[in-house]
Amino acid sequence: MESELGVIIKEKKGLYTVSVDGEELFCKAGSRIRKDGIRLMAGDRVEVERNADGSGFIRGAAPRKNALPRPPVANIDTLVIVSAVASPAPYPYNIDKLTVMAEKAGVSVAVVINKCDLKSADELLGIYRTVGYDCFPVCAATGAGVEALRDYLKGKIAVFAGASGVGKSSLLNALYPAMQAETGELSKKIARGRNTTRHTEFFPVDKDTYIADTPGFTMLDEDKLGVEEYEELYLCFPEFDKYIGDCMFRGCTHLKEDGCAIIGAVKNGDVSSSRHESFVKLYGELKNRKRYG
């Protein structure tokens, strides 16, 4: 029988839901997958064969381009970090923890600032545009900016993350009203999978477009960022790149040393002070973890 290609959109207790040309096929891992000890994840691109009863089995999996930890997801095109410009006030440190995790895993970042009807988001967006991230000011309540974000997500596997109260659910429903009409509120459908952070479910919302909401990333601890050595932390801040090697002294930690090129860039306004503050805080957390872990 001919095999077909699909994407795992859900895994639960060894049963995988695979999207094959828009059709959902319930599969188990084939013997070769089990023998090789491959741990399949949501987002994995797989080769499946159908059984006579309409179920399927997974024969093989393509190499991953990336993976994110806890909950495990693979082959992510973009991590969409949702914050609000007010109500609640933004907390850049939480945004920056997520960007570090994405940088370490090789995942692109999009920063979405919601509730832009309440006040200007220019200052916050400017921080992340300077880094080089794709940024979107939106208002889920009025629809402002939603179309641009929807166009950006077409053809992508995207993971949404953000703190409670920032309007993620409203944004998802504004992005995909047809999905809302078909299934009830998309946010409610997603919420059924929220009782655990161990699993992630993707939802097909357009051709070759999948989204997932991952509450497990919202309360991300520093030990789950994927950064094992604090010396590699600065590599996860792309805006630091052009200053590395220009410090006055070798072994500069870029925390507070005189002659540090990065600190100089902060003072000159070329690097965001809030981003550097997040770096310093994360550096301390990682150092303490190694000392006491």
Side-chain angles (χ1 to χ4, degrees):
M1 183 176 292
E2 269 191 43
S3 59
E4 300 172 86
L5 299 179
V7 176
I8 295 177
I9 59 174
K10 182 180 179 181
E11 180 274 327
K12 189 173 182 181
K13 296 181 179 179
L15 183 64
Y16 303 91
T17 305
V18 181
S19 176
V20 180
D21 291 330
E23 178 187 358
E24 293 187 4
L25 188 64
F26 299 99
C27 301
K28 290 185 177 180
S31 58
R32 188 175 71 181
I33 295 285
R34 297 194 302 270
K35 182 179 178 181
D36 292 343
I38 298 172
R39 184 190 181 192
L40 296 170
M41 300 180 181
D44 273 330
R45 300 186 183 277
V46 294
E47 182 183 356
V48 300
E49 281 192 12
R50 296 177 186 260
N51 297 319
D53 62 2
S55 65
F57 68 95
I58 299 172
R59 293 186 54 185
R64 293 174 184 142
K65 68 177 182 179
N66 57 45
L68 292 175
R70 299 187 191 180
V73 285
N75 297 317
I76 305 307
D77 292 310
T78 187
L79 175 64
V80 181
I81 303 172
V82 183
S83 184
V85 73
S87 298
Y91 186 36
Y93 178 65
N94 283 343
I95 298 174
D96 296 337
K97 283 197 297 184
L98 289 164
T99 66
V100 166
M101 181 184 69
E103 291 287 347
K104 178 61 179 177
V107 177
S108 295
V109 170
V111 177
V112 176
I113 308 301
N114 192 22
K115 304 186 183 182
C116 287
D117 56 324
L118 300 181
K119 61 183 292 189
S120 172
D122 289 350
E123 182 178 353
L124 189 58
L125 289 167
I127 292 171
Y128 296 100
R129 283 177 175 147
T130 300
V131 178
Y133 295 141
D134 294 308
C135 293
F136 299 88
V138 303
C139 178
T142 66
V146 169
E147 185 176 354
L149 179 58
R150 188 188 300 118
D151 287 343
Y152 171 81
L153 294 170
K154 284 182 179 178
K156 290 182 171 67
I157 295 179
V159 171
F160 278 65
S164 176
V166 300
K168 250 191 323 173
S169 297
S170 297
L171 178 59
L172 288 168
N173 288 319
L175 281 166
Y176 303 108
M179 187 75 174
Q180 179 179 357
E182 288 178 19
T183 64
E185 291 187 6
L186 177 59
S187 58
K188 288 182 180 178
K189 183 176 181 183
I190 289 175
R192 289 203 290 269
R194 286 184 175 176
N195 58 350
T196 175
T197 60
R198 295 178 60 194
H199 303 287
T200 296
E201 182 173 357
F202 285 98
F203 295 90
V205 293
D206 203 345
K207 180 175 174 58
D208 298 324
T209 306
Y210 302 87
I211 63 165
D213 183 13
T214 53
F217 290 154
T218 301
M219 302 301 294
L220 194 67
D221 295 328
E222 286 76 7
D223 64 347
K224 298 181 179 68
L225 297 177
V227 178
E228 298 299 328
E229 301 290 339
Y230 50 78
E231 291 88 353
E232 66 181 322
L233 180 63
Y234 59 79
L235 300 176
C236 296
F237 285 76
E239 67 269 45
F240 292 2
D241 287 352
K242 63 181 178 180
Y243 304 104
I244 299 300
D246 291 340
C247 299
M248 185 177 296
F249 302 107
R250 291 182 62 186
C252 183
T253 61
H254 317 298
L255 300 177
K256 58 182 181 181
E257 294 92 335
D258 290 335
C260 173
I262 291 172
I263 293 175
V266 173
K267 291 178 178 178
N268 291 334
D270 297 321
V271 168
S272 162
S273 59
S274 72
R275 289 277 291 172
H276 185 255
E277 287 166 10
S278 294
F279 168 77
V280 172
K281 186 174 181 178
L282 282 167
Y283 188 103
E285 295 285 352
L286 292 170
K287 192 168 185 178
N288 287 336
R289 190 186 79 197
K290 288 183 70 67
R291 181 181 299 164
Y292 300 113

